[in-house]
Every structure is written in structure tokens, then in C-alpha cells.
């Protein structure tokens, strides 16, 4: 699927505007002049806003006639692959608390790799390595708690 740069720029601009409004209205303010919890999201949203404006201006200056959304070479298998990926994402969203990050991540990476017709041994190795790296980075380095579910490490 290809999205026109003008449409993508406007969607990104809308996303950034909503993100900036949400961040500034809901995050607490720091009274001591130090950067608060809203600082990093504001920087990211501001940079994304700048990028979206550049994308919009570039598209308007090029004056090419491009369809808003195009689906080049999307066959039935491609559409099914998109649906399978969305189902795995939804399964993580809805079942990560009960099952846990580690077993669910192992299964998702393994079965998505199998779906892409990768050798099962490579699927298993990549699932273990990917899950371990994500776990170590988020839990041990960034101190972000991931749902443990049925496993308590």
C-alpha cells in the first residue's frame, strides 16, 4: 500500500497536534524549572510536526498527480498476511497481561517467521534472540515493566 505524501503529511500533522495537546493538558508541570515528564514527548512531537510540514511543502511544490492511496501488486496472499499480522498484534494487546510478554513474544515472532516461509530452526533461534534482546533492553536497561503473565522471573 502506498499513501500519497500529502495525505501522509496531513495525517502525521494531525497525530502530532493531538499528541501535543494531550501531553500538555495531561502531564504534570514542573515548578522548579527542570524538564518534566512532558519534555521528551513534546520534543518528539515537535520534530515530527516539522517533518510533516516539510513533507507537505515538498508534495505541494512537486505538483505531481498521485492517488491518495494505491495498492500496487496486492494479491490475496498479501491481504491475508496483513490480516494475520493485525491478529497477532491484537492478540498481544488483549492477552499480554494473562500470558506474559516472554511466551507471547516467542510465539508471535516464531509463527510470523513461519508464515513468511522461514526455516523453522531459524524461526526458533530468531524468536529466542529477539525476545531476549527486547526483554533485556526494556526491563533491565530502560526499567520498563513488561507483563510477566504465567512466568514470574
Amino acid at each position: 500500500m502506498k499513501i500519497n505524501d500529502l495525505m501522509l503529511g496531513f495525517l502525521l500533522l494531525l497525530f502530532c497536534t493531538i499528541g501535543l495537546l494531550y501531553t500538555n493538558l495531561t502531564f504534570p508541570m514542573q515548578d522548579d524549572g527542570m524538564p518534566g515528564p512532558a519534555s521528551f514527548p513534546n520534543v518528539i512531537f515537535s520534530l515530527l510536526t516539522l517533518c510533516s510540514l516539510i513533507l507537505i511543502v515538498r508534495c505541494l511544490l512537486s505538483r505531481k498527480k498521485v492517488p491518495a492511496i494505491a495498492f500496487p501488486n496486492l494479491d490475496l496472499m498479501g491481504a491475508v498476511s496483513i490480516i494475520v499480522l493485525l491478529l497477532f498484534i491484537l492478540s498481544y494487546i488483549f492477552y499480554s497481561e494473562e500470558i506474559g510478554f516472554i511466551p507471547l513474544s516467542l510465539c508471535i515472532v516464531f509463527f510470523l517467521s513461519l508464515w513468511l516461509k522461514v526455516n523453522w530452526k531459524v524461526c526458533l533461534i530468531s524468536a529466542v534472540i529477539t525476545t531476549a534482546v527486547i526483554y533485556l533492553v526494556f526491563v533491565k536497561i530502560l526499567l520498563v515493566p513488561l507483563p510477566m503473565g504465567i512466568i514470574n522471573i
Side-chain angles (χ1 to χ4, degrees):
M1 179 173 77
K2 294 176 103 178
I3 299 177
N4 184 343
D5 283 349
L6 185 64
M7 184 178 199
L8 187 62
F10 279 120
L11 288 173
L12 187 59
L13 185 63
L14 177 67
F15 171 73
C16 292
T17 304
I18 292 169
L20 280 168
L21 284 172
Y22 176 79
T23 303
N24 289 318
L25 292 176
T26 59
F27 283 37
M29 301 296 287
Q30 293 291 100
D31 294 332
D32 57 0
M34 298 296 291
S39 299
F40 185 69
N42 280 337
V43 169
I44 297 297
F45 282 128
S46 299
L47 290 174
L48 278 173
T49 300
L50 179 65
C51 291
S52 67
L53 291 173
I54 291 171
L55 194 62
I56 291 169
V57 168
R58 263 188 40 205
C59 187
L60 290 175
L61 291 177
S62 72
R63 296 185 181 164
K64 286 191 242 178
K65 295 288 182 186
V66 180
I69 298 176
F71 295 97
N73 303 328
L74 183 64
D75 57 350
L76 179 62
M77 197 61 186
V80 171
S81 294
I82 292 171
I83 293 169
V84 167
L85 177 65
L86 290 174
L87 288 174
F88 275 117
I89 292 170
L90 288 173
S91 70
Y92 181 80
I93 291 171
F94 291 119
Y95 299 114
S96 63
E97 291 294 326
E98 293 86 17
I99 298 173
F101 170 78
I102 293 174
L104 203 52
S105 176
L106 283 169
C107 291
I108 288 173
V109 174
F110 180 76
F111 287 115
L112 280 178
S113 299
L114 278 179
W115 180 260
L116 295 173
K117 296 178 176 58
V118 178
N119 183 342
W120 72 270
K121 293 175 187 174
V122 175
C123 294
L124 186 60
I125 293 168
S126 65
V128 169
I129 291 173
T130 303
T131 301
V133 168
I134 292 172
Y135 179 81
L136 289 174
V137 167
F138 278 89
V139 173
K140 300 299 182 183
I141 297 172
L142 298 175
L143 303 175
V144 174
L146 292 175
M148 286 293 108
I150 59 175
I151 298 176
N152 282 326
I153 295 178

mmCIF file of all heavy atoms in Angstrom, residues 46-78:
data_model
loop_
_atom_site.group_PDB
_atom_site.id
_atom_site.type_symbol
_atom_site.label_atom_id
_atom_site.label_comp_id
_atom_site.label_asym_id
_atom_site.label_seq_id
_atom_site.Cartn_x
_atom_site.Cartn_y
_atom_site.Cartn_z
ATOM 1 N N SER A 46 7.188 17.782 18.364
ATOM 2 C CA SER A 46 7.594 18.983 17.642
ATOM 3 C C SER A 46 8.451 18.636 16.429
ATOM 4 O O SER A 46 8.268 19.207 15.342
ATOM 5 C CB SER A 46 8.358 19.931 18.563
ATOM 6 O OG SER A 46 7.546 20.329 19.633
ATOM 7 N N LEU A 47 9.376 17.702 16.587
ATOM 8 C CA LEU A 47 10.206 17.278 15.456
ATOM 9 C C LEU A 47 9.368 16.569 14.387
ATOM 10 O O LEU A 47 9.571 16.785 13.190
ATOM 11 C CB LEU A 47 11.339 16.373 15.940
ATOM 12 C CG LEU A 47 12.430 17.066 16.760
ATOM 13 C CD1 LEU A 47 13.416 16.033 17.316
ATOM 14 C CD2 LEU A 47 13.151 18.106 15.935
ATOM 15 N N LEU A 48 8.417 15.751 14.832
ATOM 16 C CA LEU A 48 7.528 15.098 13.870
ATOM 17 C C LEU A 48 6.633 16.120 13.158
ATOM 18 O O LEU A 48 6.330 15.954 11.975
ATOM 19 C CB LEU A 48 6.665 14.050 14.571
ATOM 20 C CG LEU A 48 7.315 12.701 14.805
ATOM 21 C CD1 LEU A 48 6.414 11.814 15.659
ATOM 22 C CD2 LEU A 48 7.626 12.012 13.499
ATOM 23 N N THR A 49 6.222 17.164 13.864
ATOM 24 C CA THR A 49 5.444 18.227 13.233
ATOM 25 C C THR A 49 6.261 18.915 12.153
ATOM 26 O O THR A 49 5.766 19.168 11.050
ATOM 27 C CB THR A 49 4.982 19.255 14.287
ATOM 28 O OG1 THR A 49 4.179 18.580 15.260
ATOM 29 C CG2 THR A 49 4.191 20.384 13.666
ATOM 30 N N LEU A 50 7.518 19.203 12.454
ATOM 31 C CA LEU A 50 8.404 19.808 11.470
ATOM 32 C C LEU A 50 8.573 18.892 10.252
ATOM 33 O O LEU A 50 8.493 19.349 9.108
ATOM 34 C CB LEU A 50 9.761 20.112 12.103
ATOM 35 C CG LEU A 50 10.804 20.734 11.191
ATOM 36 C CD1 LEU A 50 10.369 22.121 10.745
ATOM 37 C CD2 LEU A 50 12.144 20.794 11.903
ATOM 38 N N CYS A 51 8.759 17.605 10.488
ATOM 39 C CA CYS A 51 8.889 16.647 9.383
ATOM 40 C C CYS A 51 7.617 16.580 8.549
ATOM 41 O O CYS A 51 7.678 16.508 7.312
ATOM 42 C CB CYS A 51 9.243 15.269 9.917
ATOM 43 S SG CYS A 51 10.896 15.156 10.607
ATOM 44 N N SER A 52 6.466 16.590 9.192
ATOM 45 C CA SER A 52 5.212 16.537 8.441
ATOM 46 C C SER A 52 5.016 17.795 7.613
ATOM 47 O O SER A 52 4.536 17.728 6.481
ATOM 48 C CB SER A 52 4.024 16.304 9.374
ATOM 49 O OG SER A 52 3.821 17.408 10.223
ATOM 50 N N LEU A 53 5.403 18.947 8.147
ATOM 51 C CA LEU A 53 5.293 20.191 7.373
ATOM 52 C C LEU A 53 6.234 20.170 6.166
ATOM 53 O O LEU A 53 5.861 20.623 5.073
ATOM 54 C CB LEU A 53 5.575 21.394 8.264
ATOM 55 C CG LEU A 53 4.515 21.686 9.329
ATOM 56 C CD1 LEU A 53 4.988 22.798 10.260
ATOM 57 C CD2 LEU A 53 3.190 22.034 8.689
ATOM 58 N N ILE A 54 7.436 19.651 6.343
ATOM 59 C CA ILE A 54 8.373 19.530 5.225
ATOM 60 C C ILE A 54 7.797 18.598 4.162
ATOM 61 O O ILE A 54 7.870 18.881 2.962
ATOM 62 C CB ILE A 54 9.752 19.034 5.721
ATOM 63 C CG1 ILE A 54 10.424 20.123 6.545
ATOM 64 C CG2 ILE A 54 10.637 18.607 4.563
ATOM 65 C CD1 ILE A 54 11.675 19.670 7.263
ATOM 66 N N LEU A 55 7.194 17.498 4.585
ATOM 67 C CA LEU A 55 6.588 16.548 3.663
ATOM 68 C C LEU A 55 5.447 17.190 2.881
ATOM 69 O O LEU A 55 5.340 17.020 1.656
ATOM 70 C CB LEU A 55 6.084 15.334 4.446
ATOM 71 C CG LEU A 55 5.711 14.091 3.682
ATOM 72 C CD1 LEU A 55 6.921 13.544 2.940
ATOM 73 C CD2 LEU A 55 5.179 13.044 4.640
ATOM 74 N N ILE A 56 4.621 17.966 3.566
ATOM 75 C CA ILE A 56 3.502 18.646 2.906
ATOM 76 C C ILE A 56 4.010 19.667 1.899
ATOM 77 O O ILE A 56 3.545 19.722 0.748
ATOM 78 C CB ILE A 56 2.577 19.301 3.957
ATOM 79 C CG1 ILE A 56 1.849 18.223 4.760
ATOM 80 C CG2 ILE A 56 1.583 20.246 3.313
ATOM 81 C CD1 ILE A 56 1.127 18.738 5.988
ATOM 82 N N VAL A 57 4.979 20.482 2.289
ATOM 83 C CA VAL A 57 5.506 21.511 1.392
ATOM 84 C C VAL A 57 6.174 20.870 0.175
ATOM 85 O O VAL A 57 5.981 21.318 -0.961
ATOM 86 C CB VAL A 57 6.491 22.440 2.152
ATOM 87 C CG1 VAL A 57 7.260 23.329 1.206
ATOM 88 C CG2 VAL A 57 5.724 23.270 3.172
ATOM 89 N N ARG A 58 6.963 19.816 0.393
ATOM 90 C CA ARG A 58 7.608 19.130 -0.733
ATOM 91 C C ARG A 58 6.584 18.583 -1.710
ATOM 92 O O ARG A 58 6.760 18.667 -2.925
ATOM 93 C CB ARG A 58 8.465 17.977 -0.215
ATOM 94 C CG ARG A 58 9.899 18.319 -0.057
ATOM 95 C CD ARG A 58 10.759 17.129 0.263
ATOM 96 N NE ARG A 58 10.385 15.945 -0.485
ATOM 97 C CZ ARG A 58 10.629 14.708 -0.095
ATOM 98 N NH1 ARG A 58 11.240 14.485 1.037
ATOM 99 N NH2 ARG A 58 10.280 13.682 -0.822
ATOM 100 N N CYS A 59 5.514 18.026 -1.200
ATOM 101 C CA CYS A 59 4.483 17.460 -2.060
ATOM 102 C C CYS A 59 3.757 18.558 -2.836
ATOM 103 O O CYS A 59 3.471 18.400 -4.020
ATOM 104 C CB CYS A 59 3.504 16.647 -1.236
ATOM 105 S SG CYS A 59 2.297 15.747 -2.217
ATOM 106 N N LEU A 60 3.475 19.673 -2.177
ATOM 107 C CA LEU A 60 2.792 20.776 -2.865
ATOM 108 C C LEU A 60 3.680 21.417 -3.925
ATOM 109 O O LEU A 60 3.197 21.827 -4.979
ATOM 110 C CB LEU A 60 2.337 21.820 -1.847
ATOM 111 C CG LEU A 60 1.189 21.399 -0.922
ATOM 112 C CD1 LEU A 60 0.916 22.477 0.111
ATOM 113 C CD2 LEU A 60 -0.067 21.086 -1.716
ATOM 114 N N LEU A 61 4.967 21.496 -3.673
ATOM 115 C CA LEU A 61 5.883 22.085 -4.652
ATOM 116 C C LEU A 61 6.134 21.170 -5.848
ATOM 117 O O LEU A 61 6.412 21.653 -6.940
ATOM 118 C CB LEU A 61 7.218 22.440 -3.985
ATOM 119 C CG LEU A 61 7.173 23.593 -2.983
ATOM 120 C CD1 LEU A 61 8.539 23.790 -2.345
ATOM 121 C CD2 LEU A 61 6.688 24.869 -3.647
ATOM 122 N N SER A 62 6.026 19.864 -5.659
ATOM 123 C CA SER A 62 6.276 18.936 -6.772
ATOM 124 C C SER A 62 5.123 18.922 -7.765
ATOM 125 O O SER A 62 5.320 18.662 -8.938
ATOM 126 C CB SER A 62 6.534 17.532 -6.247
ATOM 127 O OG SER A 62 5.342 16.966 -5.760
ATOM 128 N N ARG A 63 3.914 19.155 -7.320
ATOM 129 C CA ARG A 63 2.705 19.232 -8.148
ATOM 130 C C ARG A 63 2.465 17.989 -8.994
ATOM 131 O O ARG A 63 1.956 18.066 -10.100
ATOM 132 C CB ARG A 63 2.748 20.463 -9.039
ATOM 133 C CG ARG A 63 2.729 21.748 -8.272
ATOM 134 C CD ARG A 63 2.662 22.932 -9.171
ATOM 135 N NE ARG A 63 2.663 24.135 -8.364
ATOM 136 C CZ ARG A 63 2.908 25.316 -8.840
ATOM 137 N NH1 ARG A 63 3.138 25.469 -10.104
ATOM 138 N NH2 ARG A 63 2.897 26.356 -8.051
ATOM 139 N N LYS A 64 2.846 16.849 -8.484
ATOM 140 C CA LYS A 64 2.571 15.598 -9.187
ATOM 141 C C LYS A 64 1.173 15.122 -8.848
ATOM 142 O O LYS A 64 0.701 15.285 -7.733
ATOM 143 C CB LYS A 64 3.568 14.510 -8.777
ATOM 144 C CG LYS A 64 4.930 14.679 -9.355
ATOM 145 C CD LYS A 64 5.728 13.408 -9.106
ATOM 146 C CE LYS A 64 6.912 13.712 -8.251
ATOM 147 N NZ LYS A 64 7.703 12.548 -7.913
ATOM 148 N N LYS A 65 0.526 14.507 -9.802
ATOM 149 C CA LYS A 65 -0.793 13.916 -9.579
ATOM 150 C C LYS A 65 -0.598 12.464 -9.156
ATOM 151 O O LYS A 65 -0.249 11.610 -9.943
ATOM 152 C CB LYS A 65 -1.645 13.974 -10.843
ATOM 153 C CG LYS A 65 -1.979 15.373 -11.285
ATOM 154 C CD LYS A 65 -2.974 15.982 -10.349
ATOM 155 C CE LYS A 65 -3.339 17.383 -10.819
ATOM 156 N NZ LYS A 65 -4.183 18.053 -9.896
ATOM 157 N N VAL A 66 -0.787 12.230 -7.868
ATOM 158 C CA VAL A 66 -0.625 10.891 -7.302
ATOM 159 C C VAL A 66 -1.906 10.549 -6.560
ATOM 160 O O VAL A 66 -2.451 11.391 -5.841
ATOM 161 C CB VAL A 66 0.585 10.859 -6.328
ATOM 162 C CG1 VAL A 66 0.761 9.479 -5.729
ATOM 163 C CG2 VAL A 66 1.849 11.302 -7.039
ATOM 164 N N PRO A 67 -2.409 9.316 -6.725
ATOM 165 C CA PRO A 67 -3.622 8.954 -5.976
ATOM 166 C C PRO A 67 -3.373 8.979 -4.472
ATOM 167 O O PRO A 67 -2.253 8.766 -4.011
ATOM 168 C CB PRO A 67 -3.936 7.541 -6.466
ATOM 169 C CG PRO A 67 -2.695 7.039 -7.089
ATOM 170 C CD PRO A 67 -1.919 8.228 -7.553
ATOM 171 N N ALA A 68 -4.419 9.237 -3.707
ATOM 172 C CA ALA A 68 -4.288 9.332 -2.248
ATOM 173 C C ALA A 68 -3.789 8.020 -1.655
ATOM 174 O O ALA A 68 -2.872 7.998 -0.852
ATOM 175 C CB ALA A 68 -5.617 9.726 -1.625
ATOM 176 N N ILE A 69 -4.384 6.917 -2.066
ATOM 177 C CA ILE A 69 -3.964 5.591 -1.596
ATOM 178 C C ILE A 69 -3.949 4.654 -2.796
ATOM 179 O O ILE A 69 -4.893 4.621 -3.582
ATOM 180 C CB ILE A 69 -4.915 5.036 -0.518
ATOM 181 C CG1 ILE A 69 -4.914 5.929 0.711
ATOM 182 C CG2 ILE A 69 -4.526 3.622 -0.131
ATOM 183 C CD1 ILE A 69 -5.890 5.512 1.780
ATOM 184 N N ALA A 70 -2.852 3.916 -2.937
ATOM 185 C CA ALA A 70 -2.743 2.957 -4.031
ATOM 186 C C ALA A 70 -2.317 1.607 -3.464
ATOM 187 O O ALA A 70 -1.547 1.541 -2.506
ATOM 188 C CB ALA A 70 -1.729 3.442 -5.058
ATOM 189 N N PHE A 71 -2.818 0.552 -4.049
ATOM 190 C CA PHE A 71 -2.476 -0.806 -3.641
ATOM 191 C C PHE A 71 -1.779 -1.526 -4.796
ATOM 192 O O PHE A 71 -2.380 -2.346 -5.477
ATOM 193 C CB PHE A 71 -3.728 -1.594 -3.240
ATOM 194 C CG PHE A 71 -4.417 -1.054 -2.039
ATOM 195 C CD1 PHE A 71 -5.496 -0.199 -2.173
ATOM 196 C CD2 PHE A 71 -3.987 -1.403 -0.777
ATOM 197 C CE1 PHE A 71 -6.143 0.301 -1.056
ATOM 198 C CE2 PHE A 71 -4.626 -0.911 0.342
ATOM 199 C CZ PHE A 71 -5.703 -0.054 0.201
ATOM 200 N N PRO A 72 -0.492 -1.230 -5.026
ATOM 201 C CA PRO A 72 0.191 -1.895 -6.136
ATOM 202 C C PRO A 72 0.546 -3.336 -5.775
ATOM 203 O O PRO A 72 1.058 -3.631 -4.701
ATOM 204 C CB PRO A 72 1.458 -1.055 -6.325
ATOM 205 C CG PRO A 72 1.731 -0.487 -4.978
ATOM 206 C CD PRO A 72 0.386 -0.288 -4.335
ATOM 207 N N ASN A 73 0.229 -4.238 -6.670
ATOM 208 C CA ASN A 73 0.610 -5.650 -6.542
ATOM 209 C C ASN A 73 0.125 -6.297 -5.248
ATOM 210 O O ASN A 73 0.800 -7.160 -4.706
ATOM 211 C CB ASN A 73 2.125 -5.809 -6.646
ATOM 212 C CG ASN A 73 2.664 -5.244 -7.930
ATOM 213 O OD1 ASN A 73 1.986 -5.272 -8.949
ATOM 214 N ND2 ASN A 73 3.866 -4.713 -7.887
ATOM 215 N N LEU A 74 -1.002 -5.893 -4.741
ATOM 216 C CA LEU A 74 -1.542 -6.540 -3.538
ATOM 217 C C LEU A 74 -2.455 -7.671 -3.983
ATOM 218 O O LEU A 74 -3.533 -7.447 -4.534
ATOM 219 C CB LEU A 74 -2.316 -5.540 -2.671
ATOM 220 C CG LEU A 74 -2.861 -6.100 -1.368
ATOM 221 C CD1 LEU A 74 -1.723 -6.521 -0.458
ATOM 222 C CD2 LEU A 74 -3.731 -5.081 -0.671
ATOM 223 N N ASP A 75 -1.999 -8.890 -3.748
ATOM 224 C CA ASP A 75 -2.796 -10.049 -4.111
ATOM 225 C C ASP A 75 -3.499 -10.586 -2.867
ATOM 226 O O ASP A 75 -3.422 -10.004 -1.791
ATOM 227 C CB ASP A 75 -1.928 -11.117 -4.766
ATOM 228 C CG ASP A 75 -0.774 -11.549 -3.875
ATOM 229 O OD1 ASP A 75 -0.548 -10.888 -2.840
ATOM 230 O OD2 ASP A 75 -0.113 -12.542 -4.210
ATOM 231 N N LEU A 76 -4.161 -11.706 -3.019
ATOM 232 C CA LEU A 76 -4.906 -12.289 -1.900
ATOM 233 C C LEU A 76 -3.965 -12.682 -0.761
ATOM 234 O O LEU A 76 -4.272 -12.445 0.409
ATOM 235 C CB LEU A 76 -5.697 -13.507 -2.383
ATOM 236 C CG LEU A 76 -6.514 -14.230 -1.317
ATOM 237 C CD1 LEU A 76 -7.575 -13.302 -0.742
ATOM 238 C CD2 LEU A 76 -7.135 -15.484 -1.874
ATOM 239 N N MET A 77 -2.812 -13.242 -1.093
ATOM 240 C CA MET A 77 -1.872 -13.659 -0.053
ATOM 241 C C MET A 77 -1.338 -12.449 0.719
ATOM 242 O O MET A 77 -1.135 -12.515 1.930
ATOM 243 C CB MET A 77 -0.718 -14.436 -0.689
ATOM 244 C CG MET A 77 0.063 -15.221 0.285
ATOM 245 S SD MET A 77 -1.016 -16.433 1.076
ATOM 246 C CE MET A 77 0.087 -17.086 2.263
ATOM 247 N N GLY A 78 -1.117 -11.336 0.040
ATOM 248 C CA GLY A 78 -0.674 -10.124 0.720
ATOM 249 C C GLY A 78 -1.734 -9.595 1.674
ATOM 250 O O GLY A 78 -1.427 -9.181 2.795
#
